Amino acid sequence: MGGTPQAVEEEIRKLPLFKTEEAKGKVAFSLFSSSILVGICLIWAYRLSNLPTAGDRGRWLWIGMFFAELGFGFYWILTQALRWNLVRYYPLKFNLSQSSYKLPGVDIFVCTADPTVEPPTLVINTVLSAMSLNHPTEKLSVYISDDGGSQLTFYALLEASRFSKLWIPFCKKFNVEPRSPDAYFTHNFDLHEHTADAQQRLFIKEQYEDMIKRIEAVINKDSVPEELKNQHKGFSEWDSNVTKQNHQPIVQIIIDGRDTNAVDSDGCRLPTLVYMAREKRPDCLHHFKAGAMNALIRVSSEISNSAIILNLDCDMYANNADSIKEALCFFMDEERGHQIAFVQHPQKYNNITKNDLYGNSSPVLNKVELPGVGGYGSALYCGTGCFHRRTSLCGTKCSEEHKGLWNSETRKDDNRTVHELEEASKVLASCGFEKGTQWGKEMGLIYGCPVEDVVTGLAIQCRGWKSVYYNPDNTAFIGVAPPTLDIALVQFTRWSDGLFQIFLSKYCPFIYGHNKIKLGAQMGYCVYLLWAPSSLPLLYYAIALPFSLFQGIPLFPDIRSRWFIPFAYVFVSKNIYSLAEALIFGSTFKAWWNLQRMWVHRRTTSFFFAFIDCIVRQLGLSQTTFTLTAKVVTDDVSKMYQQEIMDFGSTSTMFTVISTLAMLNLFSLIGVVVKVFMGGLECKDMEKLVSQVVLCGLMVTVNGPVYEALFVRKDEGSIPGSVMFKSIVLASLACLIPL
């Protein structure tokens, strides 16, 4: 580059900071997709043209099959939007390093709600990983929202603040990844090294273990000893009247990043660290995580006011040390950066088994479906691992005014004391602050929905902003997946309930997003928003097919009929494509099969219960609730999970449904086999029932672990006797119902 320094600087600024690549094979996929659509239309035509006449046996079963296949078909059409415009994003970090732009400040939010379900030792690992990310420490602030208002969590954070003086310089010196101490020492530590560097690693490991022992000793006592309370003024906030649901706002600046004496062991400045427990009163709605996030937005605006916000769940630690730099490439791009409201990373986990037993981390979801929605500039906000532009979260609309503002410093730089900042922040974290304001409506995260993240992301996009789904090779953030079937199903119940609630509200993408986001994005959103009602077609199939098979009522065309071809083509080609896609993107056959099983279990339990709950709530018969997902389990349960043995050891209603459907299909299959051998079915009748036999056989195969838990296993993960009794009785009664 030639010319004056100013001209060179201008040329550097114009360098793109990220690039996009469209997926190949669009034409081939369009042809394949069109052929499936033709097959689906032929199936609908068959159902209508061969409708049994009034009084015919099985007429209502046939009508039900038509509506089920209508539901399957329309839902499949929605899913195609996820593959029409697949775009992948790549940051250009080198170009950012050449730019003369000042890096903006970053505020990191970590949310926790219960020290029992979310242990403080887990929380501080996330906090320490966030504090040690590669970003100028004077421009980095970490905030923890403790909705449990627990002095145990506060004590753990104090211990973490002291340990950070060793951990942060250690990470920078050795370029440590992951940046969570627990994850690093568990997976990357070699005791057999004897170099000077190894000795330093051993020293840091010992310091970390000593800290964990101190924290666990306090947790086991369920109270902080007086001698420890005297070490910090913050403990004075807790008295005998403070409870989880009833306490005053608490804001404590544990590390003041402005203080030149707040340095690590190498003499470098430490990032700001703030503890917040917003005010809770029994007579005030607190709006769950959305309320906590909005309080954090306000409190952080008073203390640091960074232009970029990263929010993390308390179990999702930083793995990629350069994750901030990569995200800034999208926000700071000269041409397109001003349009971007948030950058969403995938949710990945450190405890996924070899074949992903509970389908928690599908490669296709992370590499195809979510990037597919992001291809329309409308990536979903998933609630964690997401970088936000502060102004977009605060209700502003996208405009050219946001272009090139990075050199305008927004961080607070006042001379108020720590005490003054804390007192000013407490007002912003009080129950009454939001009354009469737009918080929870047009500002911050939106209230009234269990999945506040998705509806907030949609609202932001409808104000003109775009979003990016970024899936780096070096995973940015890693969390903990549900290690039991019960927890996994409860989690999906909450998600699908909240998502369907969005669809039924004014925020329905087809209405709220009309002429604001692209049609493909509207369809992509609805793939997830319609999880709950998508349960109905599959549940009908899971009941009607074995029931009709047991009764000898054919619901599919004869295998020699031409009408059989579209049924066979749609079923076989769709599943072959699904398997091939999974294998291409790094899954295994067994992982794909496990995921198919989980989709059956989710749709027949989680999604169906969510559908019922949401309809009941729409009728005003119940209110929104929020269930925390447990982050820790017993050693026996963990061992069972690692061995990929499904855990059914609960009397949950969901397990009763799963067992009943499994038994119903098994009884029907056995019944047909008995009839064939006893001569009760002629060959021509059997030909009409082949499709049902195959589908029931697949359901029996999918439910193999259920039968094992019912009749073979005797461990803690086997199905309880009461559940087995109910499922056998219900399945038997269903088979005996006359038609």
Side-chain angles (χ1 to χ4, degrees):
M1 295 181 185
T4 64
Q6 291 80 6
V8 172
E9 182 178 321
E10 189 62 28
E11 287 296 321
I12 292 175
R13 284 189 179 184
K14 290 181 180 179
L15 289 174
L17 297 184
F18 70 92
K19 63 178 182 178
T20 58
E21 289 183 3
E22 293 189 7
K24 299 177 181 178
K26 281 188 177 182
V27 175
F29 176 76
S30 297
L31 292 173
F32 171 75
S33 181
S34 298
S35 70
I36 296 287
L37 181 60
V38 170
I40 290 172
C41 291
L42 288 173
I43 290 172
W44 292 341
Y46 170 77
R47 289 294 176 200
L48 291 173
S49 61
N50 291 274
L51 182 68
T53 58
D56 283 357
R57 189 166 177 255
R59 173 180 168 84
W60 290 107
L61 283 173
W62 189 279
I63 292 173
M65 291 294 288
F66 170 69
F67 282 109
E69 285 156 1
L70 202 63
F72 279 135
F74 280 123
Y75 190 78
W76 176 86
I77 291 171
L78 291 177
T79 64
Q80 299 315 289
L82 303 177
R83 292 164 174 82
W84 286 341
N85 195 35
L86 181 56
V87 175
R88 294 188 175 89
Y89 293 82
Y90 300 93
L92 304 173
K93 291 188 290 183
F94 177 77
N95 288 356
L96 178 62
S97 65
Q98 300 300 305
S99 171
S100 61
Y101 278 137
K102 294 179 182 178
L103 294 178
V106 176
D107 289 343
I108 303 178
F109 298 167
V110 178
C111 295
T112 184
D114 189 324
T116 304
V117 179
E118 300 165 338
T121 51
L122 178 79
V123 176
I124 63 168
N125 269 279
T126 298
V127 170
L128 286 165
S129 71
M131 292 177 71
S132 57
L133 286 170
N134 290 341
H135 195 67
T137 52
E138 69 275 9
K139 294 188 175 185
L140 185 64
S141 302
V142 179
Y143 295 79
I144 180 167
S145 168
D146 178 18
D147 260 8
S150 170
Q151 59 180 329
L152 301 180
T153 302
F154 180 69
Y155 168 71
L157 204 61
L158 284 177
E159 287 283 3
S161 70
R162 299 182 186 113
F163 179 70
S164 69
K165 297 177 182 180
L166 299 174
W167 179 247
I168 294 174
F170 173 73
C171 289
K172 302 294 174 66
K173 179 179 179 180
F174 293 101
N175 195 25
V176 165
E177 286 185 351
R179 297 255 150 147
S180 157
D182 182 72
Y184 176 72
F185 290 127
T186 300
H187 302 293
N188 298 279
F189 192 72
D190 186 358
L191 290 172
H192 301 292
E193 287 188 53
H194 297 288
T195 62
D197 288 348
Q199 292 303 310
Q200 187 172 353
R201 288 187 174 93
L202 181 61
F203 170 74
I204 298 295
K205 183 175 186 287
E206 290 172 347
Q207 294 296 309
Y208 171 71
E209 290 174 345
D210 288 344
M211 176 188 67
I212 295 298
K213 287 177 183 177
R214 291 193 298 272
I215 294 172
E216 289 180 342
V218 169
I219 292 173
N220 291 335
K221 293 179 181 178
D222 199 30
S223 65
V224 181
E226 287 300 322
E227 62 269 20
L228 294 178
K229 288 183 178 180
N230 294 332
Q231 295 177 12
H232 197 281
K233 64 178 179 61
F235 286 108
S236 62
E237 297 281 0
W238 281 270
D239 56 33
S240 59
N241 296 321
V242 171
T243 65
K244 180 180 178 179
Q245 298 297 338
N246 189 13
H247 60 80
Q248 77 284 4
I250 303 172
V251 178
Q252 290 292 310
I253 300 176
I254 297 174
I255 299 176
D256 182 5
R258 305 169 303 168
D259 185 358
T260 56
N261 294 319
V263 295
D264 61 30
S265 58
D266 284 354
C268 299
R269 293 266 290 275
L270 288 168
T272 296
L273 179 62
V274 180
Y275 172 92
M276 182 201 77
R278 61 194 171 113
E279 183 179 17
K280 290 263 193 88
R281 300 299 178 193
D283 56 344
C284 292
L285 292 174
H286 57 82
H287 302 293
F288 310 109
K289 184 180 176 181
M293 281 287 293
N294 287 346
L296 282 173
I297 293 171
R298 295 192 299 270
V299 168
S300 64
S301 69
E302 187 69 24
I303 297 172
S304 53
N305 198 37
S306 295
I308 302 297
I309 292 171
L310 163 64
N311 82 279
L312 297 171
D313 282 348
C314 66
D315 63 331
M316 186 153 280
Y317 61 80
N319 180 69
N320 180 352
D322 283 335
S323 56
I324 292 179
K325 186 181 294 184
E326 292 177 355
L328 291 180
C329 287
F330 299 107
F331 291 111
M332 299 180 69
D333 182 82
E334 182 74 14
E335 183 179 347
R336 295 176 287 176
H338 67 285
Q339 301 174 338
I340 295 173
F342 60 87
V343 177
Q344 176 67 59
H345 286 77
Q347 295 189 41
K348 296 188 178 180
Y349 309 101
N350 63 3
N351 62 333
I352 297 298
T353 61
K354 179 182 177 181
N355 296 299
D356 197 3
L357 180 62
Y358 297 129
N360 288 312
S361 186
S362 166
V364 173
L365 176 69
N366 290 327
K367 296 181 180 180
V368 178
E369 295 182 354
L370 291 176
V373 187
Y376 302 103
S378 300
L380 274 68
Y381 169 31
C382 299
T384 182
C386 189
F387 289 88
H388 300 266
R389 185 189 298 268
R390 180 182 288 272
T391 52
S392 69
L393 269 180
C394 292
T396 61
K397 294 183 178 181
C398 180
S399 70
E400 293 292 320
E401 295 177 2
H402 295 96
K403 202 167 187 176
L405 292 179
W406 300 112
N407 281 330
S408 301
E409 190 60 61
T410 59
R411 284 176 68 88
K412 291 281 185 178
D413 187 21
D414 55 39
N415 296 318
R416 287 180 291 176
T417 65
V418 166
H419 177 72
E420 289 171 337
L421 284 174
E422 290 172 347
E423 292 303 310
S425 299
K426 287 178 183 178
V427 176
L428 304 177
S430 64
C431 287
F433 183 83
E434 293 183 350
K435 290 180 180 178
T437 71
Q438 290 300 306
W439 284 100
K441 300 172 186 175
E442 297 297 327
M443 297 178 67
L445 274 69
I446 293 173
Y447 295 155
C449 179
V451 284
E452 66 289 319
D453 38 26
V454 175
V455 69
T456 298
L458 174 62
I460 289 172
Q461 290 154 4
C462 289
R463 292 198 291 266
W465 295 97
K466 296 187 182 300
S467 55
V468 169
Y469 184 85
Y470 174 48
N471 185 10
D473 293 332
N474 185 10
T475 302
F477 308 104
I478 298 178
V480 180
T484 71
L485 180 59
D486 190 30
I487 295 174
L489 293 178
V490 168
Q491 188 178 67
F492 269 91
T493 302
R494 176 166 60 84
W495 287 344
S496 52
D497 181 2
L499 291 167
F500 189 42
Q501 192 173 324
I502 296 172
F503 184 82
L504 296 178
S505 73
K506 71 173 185 178
Y507 294 105
C508 176
F510 289 128
I511 300 172
Y512 191 75
H514 182 63
N515 290 332
K516 297 175 183 176
I517 60 175
K518 296 179 180 178
L519 176 62
Q522 297 171 30
M523 294 172 66
Y525 263 101
C526 287
V527 169
Y528 304 101
L529 268 54
L530 293 176
W531 268 353
S534 74
S535 64
L536 301 179
L538 183 61
L539 190 60
Y540 183 83
Y541 252 57
I543 296 172
L545 291 187
F547 177 73
S548 60
L549 179 62
F550 195 85
Q551 300 278 348
I553 302 171
L555 294 177
F556 292 95
D558 190 301
I559 57 174
R560 294 174 298 179
S561 167
R562 291 181 180 179
W563 283 113
F564 177 75
I565 296 175
F567 284 91
Y569 175 73
V570 169
F571 179 78
V572 173
S573 58
K574 182 178 178 297
N575 281 286
I576 288 177
Y577 180 85
S578 172
L579 174 59
E581 189 176 52
L583 295 176
I584 288 170
F585 288 104
S587 191
T588 64
F589 173 79
K590 192 171 182 180
W592 174 81
W593 183 251
N594 287 340
L595 183 60
Q596 306 315 300
R597 179 189 302 114
M598 285 305 301
W599 276 119
V600 171
H601 291 339
R602 289 168 187 167
R603 284 199 167 105
T604 54
T605 57
S606 299
F607 294 177
F608 179 66
F609 289 161
F611 177 79
I612 298 299
D613 288 345
C614 195
I615 296 299
V616 169
R617 189 180 302 108
Q618 291 296 314
L619 296 174
L621 302 178
S622 70
Q623 293 183 338
T624 299
T625 59
F626 186 87
T627 304
L628 280 176
T629 304
K631 305 298 191 297
V632 290
V633 292
T634 64
D635 291 340
D636 289 341
V637 171
S638 180
K639 183 179 180 181
M640 195 185 307
Y641 173 67
Q642 292 302 324
Q643 293 174 345
E644 297 197 327
I645 300 172
M646 296 189 75
D647 180 9
F648 294 95
S650 167
T651 56
S652 167
T653 306
M654 293 188 187
F655 291 168
T656 301
V657 173
I658 290 171
S659 302
T660 301
L661 292 176
M663 294 308 300
L664 179 60
N665 280 271
L666 182 63
F667 287 166
S668 297
L669 206 58
I670 292 173
V672 168
V673 172
V674 170
K675 287 180 182 178
V676 169
F677 280 102
M678 296 294 290
L681 271 179
E682 296 182 8
C683 185
K684 62 178 182 178
D685 294 328
M686 190 61 197
E687 288 177 352
K688 295 179 180 179
L689 296 172
V690 167
S691 297
Q692 284 149 270
V693 170
V694 170
L695 292 175
C696 284
L698 282 173
M699 280 293 287
V700 169
T701 306
V702 161
N703 283 300
V706 180
Y707 303 125
E708 186 180 356
L710 279 167
F711 306 117
V712 180
R713 291 168 53 188
K714 302 298 180 184
D715 55 31
E716 293 182 0
S718 62
I719 292 177
S722 60
V723 174
M724 180 174 67
F725 175 76
K726 284 187 285 187
S727 63
I728 292 175
V729 170
L730 290 171
S732 301
L733 290 174
C735 291
L736 296 175
I737 295 174
L739 191 66

